Amino acid sequence: MSPVQPLAPNVLRPCCAAEAFPFESTAELDGVNAAMIGQDRPISAIRFGVKMRRQGYNIYALGPAGLGKHTLVRRIVEERAAHEPSPPDWCYVNNFDQPYRPRILSLPAGQGRQFKREVERLVEEMQTALSTAFESEEYQTRRRTIESEFQEQQQASLLALQEQARQRRLTLLRTPSGLAFAPLKGEEVLPPDEFEKLPEEEQQRIQADVEVMQDALQKVVSRAPRWERELRNHLRTLNQEIAGVVLNDLIAELIGTYAALPDILDYFEKLRQDVQHHLGDFMVAGEKQRQASDGENPAAFVEPASPLRRYQVNLLVDSAEAQGAPVVYESNPTYTNLNGRVEQMAQMGALVTDFTLIKPGALHRANGGYLILDALKVLSNAYSWEGLKRALEFGEIRIESVLQMLSLTSTVSLEPEPMPLDVKVILLGDRMLYYLLSQYDPDFNELFKVAADFADEVERTPENHFAYAQLLASIARKEDLRPLDRYAVGAVIDHAARLVSDSERLTAQIQAIVDLLQEANYWAAEAEADLIRAEHIRQALEAQVFRLNRVSRRMQDEVLRRTIHIETSGEQVGQINGLAVLQLGNHAFGQPSRITATVRMGRGDVVNIEREVNMSGPLHSKGVLILASFLNARYAVDEPLALSASLVFEQSYGGVDGDSASSTELYALLSAIGRIPIKQSFAVTGSVDQSGRVQAIGGVNEKIEGFFDLCRERGLTGEQGVLIPETNVKNLMLRSDVVEAVSAGKFQIYPIAHIDEGIEMLTGLPAGTPDRRGRYPRGTVNWAVAHRLAQMAKKRHALERKERSPKAKAAENSEDSPKLE
């Protein structure tokens, strides 16, 4: 097997050729379509979703935060909304038949504000006109005529009664206790003492006449309430006649204005009827209006308790200034912020409400257009998700409290008429949330049929390099930053490849790039530079790491102080340097780990000590089982392994997971079995399959840099290096100082495709290839391992024979002993 060659420096960090850019700085670029790099799939999905006007075709934009989902979604939606008609205005008005259920009225865009003003002016004019009409001479004359007629009717009844009384020589008197009859003596009332002197028969006659007249009086008096009712009815008819003339004249012009809106005409008719039944309220309001210091605002609408509040118009949605369909983003999607609410006001020590206190939600404002929401925020707010689904499912917005929705309250409240809903909802969220909703919410797939899946990364091509430059130009203008020169653009592109750990890809995480440019702009300002240059990009990156690397430096110090044992020189049997990646917040760093293996005579089991103490994750345990399978497949074809082995991450006090150390553990195990020392100047990473192929792992750049930093602190010797899977070469985007050390021959990185290649690098011995009989050449690693295993097998067989000998003799003796019949 030919020796593995170290990777060339240009492979470790493929840099962007900034010299090839056809510009000196991003100030020369226009930044057009900059936010759409590599996002053809979600763009197509969003455009399809906004044009599909069928129920359920709402959109879920899925992808991690920082991809620019909101920016891209809003841009596409606003482009579409600008060519769509403005939605109608919506108003809540009093339902005169059922006051607890306010009516919803729709008007063409811009007319709601006019309708509100005209109704206010109508009520104000009705106060003035009705007061004037009821104070007019004509009305007063007709009223007096009616009142006179009834007074004459009452007077005539009393005169007739008086005449009857005179015929009986009685007279009708008004006393403090009411009307009464008394006997006459001539033209004068007979005094009581003289009445006593009259004969008994005369007194009885007078008493009988009084009783007769008293009955007649009672009949007349009993007709008085009826006369009063008739008077009130006549006066009410007169008032309604006068009011009808006034109202018809005032409303006639408005009816002509809104002739094409039957709901508005019906409302005016209901209003007219209600006014005629509540004319007294206008009389009181008119008096207060006249008493007000200025007549600009009617007093009736100033006072919260005024009965004329029921004639107000609650303009819920005003589209007068809208340019196309609305696009609304609700940053706090609580239940009431989405579906609206009915507010209350304190009055006489109690909380009261009416239709004028109905407030719109985001669904109302976005009706006829588009509503953008953060999915996690919607799900985090109690009942918001259920309220949103119900509105989309039934196509209407029902304003009610959470208690009403859950049927947990029986108090009297408003039940506003639902508003018809026509809105396109776009949810922004991550992929896991999308998949969870798809799996566990049966309504989700019916309501959000369009998935806009945003790419995390884009291909690294010369065309995308230039597109990235356009993106940087756009960001610089939008954020008011200094332009970037071509070399700064190249440095940002290199960092974009580093963020996805792939030299053939660029990150689509726009927010990370924006943060980097803002910090680089700060350092350019500190240097009083007119452009952001490559050194400012590097300075910003170094500052980001410095702010977060306290823990990683502390851990490295513990290694340098020998508190944690990691060797970077010499040779050891059964010991090797593994590599792990630790993620603390937004900072990931590599950390070397000492892995050791021990072997002993046994029955072929490989003990994962981390698993025995429940510190091993499932992937790590799987890796150990795979390497055990490799050992059995290679060295135990004819007979089982006669050893037991133990593997452990030394000085590991936390959990271990992932299979990226399985090849490393296999090297340590081969070294321990064959008693072959491993060079401690190397660190190893990579998983392994049952055939011995080394497979790709994650975090390769951080792992290499973690071991490099330790070796640099102890002194680079030129013998140190890292073995990585060959399939991870395309993921290399190493720091510049690592590349410089490799160029100087002080550090090496080796691509390994198979376990045999790796063991040759680590031991300096050939791996060895079996001949036709399956035997390995003497002096090779595989021969040493196979020879040791054969020795252990012989010793095990000898021990088993020795253990069986006493048992065999005991069995023979038991057969030869006499038996009793």
Side-chain angles (χ1 to χ4, degrees):
M1 184 176 295
S2 57
V4 178
Q5 298 299 317
L7 294 174
N10 64 327
V11 179
L12 305 181
R13 184 182 177 86
C15 294
C16 173
E19 299 83 1
F21 284 134
F23 58 85
E24 293 296 328
S25 75
T26 56
E28 304 172 20
L29 304 178
D30 54 17
V32 176
N33 296 329
M36 301 184 180
I37 302 175
Q39 302 296 356
D40 296 337
R41 180 177 289 104
I43 290 173
S44 174
I46 295 169
R47 287 177 174 165
F48 165 76
V50 298
K51 292 180 180 179
M52 174 62 85
R53 311 307 297 186
R54 296 284 182 176
Q55 185 177 10
Y57 282 88
N58 298 293
I59 304 168
Y60 189 106
L62 59 151
L67 293 178
K69 297 192 297 294
H70 182 272
T71 302
L72 184 56
V73 166
R74 186 142 196 159
R75 176 181 298 179
I76 296 174
V77 168
E78 287 180 346
E79 289 176 357
R80 173 70 180 176
H83 298 89
E84 295 181 348
S86 299
D89 293 343
W90 293 93
C91 306
Y92 269 114
V93 295
N94 187 28
N95 186 337
F96 301 107
D97 296 328
Q98 295 177 303
Y100 71 93
R101 188 174 173 82
R103 292 182 59 184
I104 187 80
L105 297 178
S106 174
L107 297 97
Q111 291 191 23
R113 191 179 299 179
Q114 174 187 348
F115 176 67
K116 178 181 175 68
R117 287 196 302 263
E118 289 179 343
V119 170
E120 290 179 353
R121 187 166 54 250
L122 171 64
V123 175
E124 181 181 358
E125 290 175 352
M126 283 193 297
Q127 294 177 52
T128 304
L130 289 173
S131 298
T132 302
F134 291 134
E135 293 173 359
S136 66
E137 185 64 29
E138 178 186 358
Y139 172 77
Q140 293 299 329
T141 300
R142 294 181 64 181
R143 182 183 180 96
R144 285 193 297 268
T145 300
I146 295 173
E147 291 174 346
S148 298
E149 290 176 357
F150 281 90
Q151 289 175 0
E152 291 174 359
Q153 184 180 3
Q154 290 178 346
Q155 191 66 30
S157 298
L158 291 175
L159 290 174
L161 191 63
Q162 180 71 8
E163 183 61 29
Q164 294 178 18
R166 284 185 177 278
Q167 291 176 3
R168 297 177 182 270
R169 289 182 293 175
L170 298 174
T171 185
L172 183 63
L173 300 177
R174 293 184 182 273
T175 67
S177 58
L179 295 175
F181 289 95
L184 289 175
K185 183 180 180 182
E187 297 296 327
E188 300 294 333
V189 177
L190 181 67
D193 55 343
E194 293 186 12
F195 177 78
E196 295 294 335
K197 297 176 182 181
L198 293 175
E200 183 70 24
E201 293 180 0
E202 184 66 18
Q203 290 183 17
Q204 291 179 357
R205 183 192 64 77
I206 294 174
Q207 188 68 35
D209 289 341
V210 168
E211 290 177 1
V212 171
M213 295 308 299
Q214 195 68 37
D215 291 339
L217 175 62
Q218 187 63 36
K219 291 179 182 180
V220 172
V221 172
S222 64
R223 290 198 297 270
R226 186 185 65 188
W227 293 336
E228 291 178 359
R229 287 195 301 271
E230 291 176 357
L231 173 61
R232 289 194 298 269
N233 290 336
H234 280 76
L235 292 176
R236 185 181 301 113
T237 302
L238 173 63
N239 291 341
Q240 291 182 356
E241 179 185 346
I242 298 299
V245 174
V246 173
L247 296 177
N248 290 338
D249 182 60
L250 293 175
I251 296 176
E253 182 179 352
L254 295 178
I255 290 178
T257 303
Y258 300 99
L261 301 173
D263 288 343
I264 302 297
L265 299 181
D266 181 66
Y267 170 71
F268 281 135
E269 177 60 26
K270 297 290 185 182
L271 183 145
R272 185 187 63 79
Q273 295 175 7
D274 190 76
V275 170
Q276 288 187 317
H277 287 87
H278 296 85
L279 292 174
D281 295 338
F282 281 86
M283 299 300 98
V284 175
E287 182 63 26
K288 291 183 178 179
Q289 182 180 7
R290 287 192 299 272
Q291 294 175 0
S293 58
D294 64 88
E296 294 182 2
N297 295 317
F301 281 172
V302 174
E303 297 180 4
S306 170
L308 298 191
R309 280 175 62 89
R310 64 178 178 271
Y311 303 115
Q312 283 186 321
V313 173
N314 183 359
L315 182 56
L316 200 70
V317 178
D318 184 6
S319 302
E321 300 177 0
Q323 301 293 328
V327 179
V328 177
Y329 173 71
E330 178 55 59
S331 60
N332 184 27
T334 62
Y335 176 81
T336 55
N337 285 353
L338 283 177
N339 295 275
R341 64 192 182 278
V342 179
E343 295 183 341
Q344 297 173 322
M345 62 180 177
Q347 189 176 108
M348 302 293 290
L351 293 177
V352 297
T353 187
D354 61 27
F355 71 95
T356 63
L357 298 178
I358 299 174
K359 303 301 178 183
L363 286 170
H364 297 91
R365 299 194 305 273
N367 198 10
Y370 304 88
L371 177 60
I372 304 173
L373 299 170
D374 185 279
L376 182 59
K377 291 180 180 179
V378 174
L379 292 167
S380 300
N381 283 284
Y383 305 109
S384 293
W385 179 240
E386 294 301 321
L388 177 64
K389 288 196 301 179
R390 184 181 61 180
L392 294 177
E393 181 179 359
F394 293 100
E396 63 180 21
I397 313 170
R398 189 177 296 274
I399 301 178
E400 58 186 4
S401 68
V402 173
L403 294 178
Q404 287 177 300
M405 183 184 72
L406 299 177
S407 300
L408 296 178
T409 181
S410 59
T411 58
V412 177
S413 183
L414 295 183
E415 297 179 11
E417 182 181 353
M419 176 189 291
L421 179 64
D422 177 20
V423 69
K424 185 73 67 175
V425 177
I426 301 100
L427 289 181
L428 309 177
D430 58 29
R431 293 190 177 90
M432 181 57 69
L433 194 57
Y434 174 81
Y435 298 134
L436 288 174
L437 289 171
S438 297
Q439 183 70 25
Y440 295 108
D441 191 333
D443 301 323
F444 178 76
N445 291 322
E446 294 298 323
L447 296 176
F448 292 87
K449 298 181 180 180
V450 181
D453 194 353
F454 279 72
D456 300 354
E457 55 191 40
V458 298
E459 291 187 15
R460 188 177 184 181
T461 63
E463 293 77 15
N464 280 342
H465 280 184
F466 186 75
Y468 228 81
Q470 293 278 18
L471 171 64
L472 299 181
S474 174
I475 293 173
R477 288 193 182 93
K478 182 179 178 181
E479 301 294 331
D480 194 22
L481 307 176
R482 291 170 173 77
L484 289 77
D485 70 8
R486 60 170 64 177
Y487 298 102
V489 172
V492 173
I493 291 175
D494 292 343
H495 180 64
R498 165 67 184 238
L499 288 176
V500 293
S501 296
D502 196 329
S503 62
E504 300 174 358
R505 297 286 187 272
L506 298 174
T507 184
Q509 292 275 354
I510 305 301
Q511 188 57 50
I513 302 301
V514 172
D515 295 342
L516 175 60
L517 294 187
Q518 290 175 337
E519 295 178 26
N521 185 73
Y522 166 81
W523 293 112
E526 290 290 302
E528 298 182 353
D530 56 346
L531 294 175
I532 297 176
R533 306 187 185 280
E535 56 266 25
H536 302 140
I537 300 294
R538 288 191 293 270
Q539 197 171 3
L541 292 173
E542 291 171 358
Q544 287 179 352
V545 174
F546 180 74
R547 291 194 297 269
L548 298 171
N549 71 347
R550 184 190 66 84
V551 174
S552 62
R553 293 296 302 174
R554 180 70 180 273
M555 295 179 70
Q556 187 181 90
D557 289 343
E558 294 302 315
V559 176
L560 296 174
R561 297 171 63 189
R562 301 291 179 177
T563 304
I564 299 176
H565 298 292
I566 302 291
E567 303 296 335
T568 56
S569 62
E571 297 180 344
Q572 293 286 340
V573 174
Q575 177 176 301
I576 192 170
N577 294 323
L579 295 171
V581 174
L582 281 71
Q583 182 83 35
L584 296 178
N586 293 327
H587 181 53
F589 59 93
Q591 179 66 25
S593 300
R594 180 165 54 98
I595 301 174
T596 60
T598 59
V599 295
R600 57 201 174 276
M601 193 177 301
R603 297 183 179 277
D605 55 321
V606 177
V607 177
N608 176 11
I609 293 179
E610 267 79 20
R611 181 183 180 187
E612 296 299 315
V613 294
N614 296 322
M615 293 176 61
S616 175
L619 294 180
H620 179 248
S621 299
K622 175 185 176 183
V624 173
L625 293 176
I626 290 175
L627 68 89
S629 175
F630 170 82
L631 287 177
N632 281 280
R634 173 168 285 192
Y635 302 110
V637 177
D638 298 326
E639 59 180 330
L641 295 177
L643 88 162
S644 291
S646 297
L647 292 168
V648 67
F649 279 73
E650 301 288 357
Q651 294 184 286
S652 173
Y653 306 105
V656 176
D657 199 9
D659 63 349
S660 64
S662 57
S663 67
T664 313
E665 293 170 316
L666 180 55
Y667 293 138
L669 197 54
L670 294 175
S671 169
I673 297 172
R675 296 174 178 172
I676 304 172
I678 289 178
K679 299 175 183 178
Q680 301 300 298
S681 58
F682 288 113
V684 181
T685 185
S687 67
V688 66
D689 64 13
Q690 295 185 101
S691 301
R693 289 189 295 267
V694 179
Q695 302 172 134
I697 44 82
V700 63
N701 294 294
E702 290 81 3
K703 292 177 177 179
I704 294 173
E705 291 165 358
F707 189 68
F708 171 80
D709 290 340
L710 177 60
C711 294
R712 182 178 57 185
E713 292 296 327
R714 287 181 172 175
L716 295 173
T717 63
E719 298 180 355
Q720 295 140 335
V722 178
L723 277 62
I724 65 170
E726 185 182 50
T727 49
N728 275 122
V729 172
K730 62 180 177 295
N731 301 114
L732 293 177
M733 282 299 297
L734 293 169
R735 294 193 318 242
S736 299
D737 55 345
V738 180
V739 178
E740 291 171 1
V742 171
S743 299
K746 297 180 179 180
F747 195 78
Q748 305 297 332
I749 298 170
Y750 296 91
I752 304 300
H754 197 272
I755 285 295
D756 290 340
E757 296 178 355
I759 199 66
E760 288 183 354
M761 291 297 307
L762 293 169
T763 62
L765 298 177
T769 303
D771 57 18
R772 294 180 179 178
R773 292 184 296 175
R775 297 179 178 179
Y776 293 98
R778 183 180 294 272
T780 63
V781 174
N782 285 323
W783 178 86
V785 172
H787 181 69
R788 177 80 186 283
L789 291 174
Q791 289 180 334
M792 296 177 75
K794 289 180 181 179
K795 289 182 179 180
R796 179 180 171 183
H797 291 324
L799 288 173
E800 289 176 348
R801 285 195 301 269
K802 187 175 180 180
E803 290 175 356
R804 285 198 302 268
S805 296
K807 295 180 181 179
K809 290 180 179 179
E812 291 174 0
N813 292 335
S814 64
E815 291 176 359
D816 295 339
S817 60
K819 299 180 180 178
L820 296 177
E821 297 294 338

